[in-house]
Amino acid sequence: MTDALKPGQTIGILGGGQLGRMLAMAAARLGLQTHVYEPGANPPAAQVANRTTTAPYEDLDSLTAFAQSVDVVTYEFENVPADALDAIEAVVPIRPNRQALAVSQDRLTEKTFLTEIGLDCAPFAPVHDDATLAQAIALTGLPAILKTRRLGYDGKGQARIRETHDTTRALAEMQGAEAILEGMVAFDREISVIAARGADDTIACFEPGENVHKDGILHTTTVPADIDEALRERAFGVAGTILTALDYVGVMGVELFVVGDRLLVNEIAPRVHNSGHWTEAGAVIDQFEQHIRAVAGWPLVDPVRHSDVVMTNLIGDDVDDVAAIAAETGARLHLYGKAEARAGRKMGHVTRVLRPASDRV
Amino acid sequence: MTDALKPGQTIGILGGGQLGRMLAMAAARLGLQTHVYEPGANPPAAQVANRTTTAPYEDLDSLTAFAQSVDVVTYEFENVPADALDAIEAVVPIRPNRQALAVSQDRLTEKTFLTEIGLDCAPFAPVHDDATLAQAIALTGLPAILKTRRLGYDGKGQARIRETHDTTRALAEMQGAEAILEGMVAFDREISVIAARGADDTIACFEPGENVHKDGILHTTTVPADIDEALRERAFGVAGTILTALDYVGVMGVELFVVGDRLLVNEIAPRVHNSGHWTEAGAVIDQFEQHIRAVAGWPLVDPVRHSDVVMTNLIGDDVDDVAAIAAETGARLHLYGKAEARAGRKMGHVTRVLRPASDRV
């Protein structure tokens, strides 16, 4: 464990949402301290972190002070501004590294990177205006999705194009932002691999989960995914290829489309991922501890799954069902400590443990 | 869930040690807030609690303010002074209740209670002086253990009497405190049942674990215990009898001696218990969440065990082995965030997952 953090040392976490909160609790279980940096007031992660700084990402003095108070910095979301990262990296390492952030902050960079390392994606092309959109459609065919290159998530900053007469409206929805057109894939299913790479280059993947979205937001993840052993191994291979190419340290969420026997990479997230929340109820280690271990320079854990599970997000007023869920046999409830249940807001999740893993040794 | 706490409401926790810390994290997972009350500086639980009051148990104003800030109070240790409990109970309910505390604060009261509800204990008798000690020995035989009636734990405040010439030394070790003599039981094994009772009177017991002590402190808990089905059911029955008799709400640790086909109650602890730490790695719910659920008036979870496990305490400089333990396959490490590893101090624990539970359905 060269350069590994010792118990009592501190991990800085950029972002104080539910992912930062669950990371902070995992760090606490390992005797590591956390310092959360978050622009918004009353962040969920602050409730369980040792320390919180409330300041914007443009406040480089606060970022420097934050960096000086910690031993390594990680993050719960990928859209941290480059200047903020520069200020931090002048003081302490950032894990996962800058390259992973740069790639995943921009959909065009991401798709280009994935293609260059030999992986399959849906057809894509950059879009600046009507002319480039027309060229892009010629490449991808229709239907397709126009997306802002940066800052989109949970279906925001996206517009579907089914017919050529949709183009003007779709382009208007980008509000002048640089965009990318992606061919819509008639996939059989979407799966994700929660993959980790340690500071010692070891790679450990959780069992792929099968995702269903609703209104552009993840609704359920079912584990195991309904795929055969060969495809599962290939999914692990895809994740490993990405992690190695990026010299990545930490947990990554890799979303894949299954189309027949093909695997197309939909999206990568250089952080713990909503589709990995099931791990806390279905595996011997959860994605949050695995990420903290990697970031702290600790060895990874073999992420054996012990149960078949379905994770369901609790969005907005889904949280009104908490009393009923709490009474369900085999349901593991996890709430994020958010006071207000706004529409579309992730309030918590529930993982239903169906049965022991059928293939468990 | 009549009178059940809602997400966002607050549980007060008396005591800020590792048990309070693990309770606070369990509460956070359920979207409940915590306020820790602890006399000592830098309590481990403060690192993950929403709020901490640092004040002595004699400071009734601070206790009242604490009680006014929370919706229910629980505790991580049973030796809370009665005046402190009075101040709190004038404002909010205490769970588990006062009777459970009164019984478990005094070994003589506890043994008398257990005997009165029809359970077996080792022979015991009160001791004030040489004369009553001689009478007590006549009842229990030798060897026997002289213990202070109050405030002893982890082997402190105890003196073994093997021969009659040990009596003067043993009595001196009580330092004038009221004492109880307990006959030493040549037990086959010590097991414990982590039992819970909900506000709706339901009872749910975790699988019994088998405990081995070292230097008077719990060393390992192995689950399952090496007992047959009939004895296991009787152990559950004993725990249920105690919980019901006390109209108990919360988790209780019930330590039992197995002597042939007899079960003798050694000790009860009206709280989460060190011998239940394995639950976080071996069962679908851990004892901390089960306790929080009970205290919050939520339904209990059926505490199905999914794996065979051994929990080992990390005491004092055992914590130097953290790097090696972190690299072990199947070892779940849990550290308590304590800065200084003093001799005899509980620094953390590790639960080694051996295999899936053999009898799992």
Side-chain angles (χ1 to χ4, degrees), chain B residues 261-316:
Chain B
D261 62 354
R262 292 178 68 206
L263 282 174
L264 307 183
V265 183
N266 176 37
E267 199 169 278
I268 62 175
R271 52 170 169 80
V272 288
H273 193 257
N274 195 163
S275 68
H277 289 0
W278 67 269
T279 56
E280 66 182 351
V284 298
I285 185 171
D286 63 56
Q287 64 167 346
F288 305 101
E289 180 175 334
Q290 192 79 299
H291 184 76
I292 292 293
R293 282 174 165 261
V295 166
W298 289 30
L300 300 182
V301 167
D302 181 19
V304 175
R305 182 172 66 86
H306 57 65
S307 297
D308 290 2
V309 294
V310 178
M311 187 287 305
T312 304
N313 269 335
L314 302 175
I315 311 282

Side-chain angles (χ1 to χ4, degrees), chain A residues 29 51 95 164:
Chain A
R29 284 200 306 271
R51 194 172 157 195
R95 285 176 169 169
T164 44

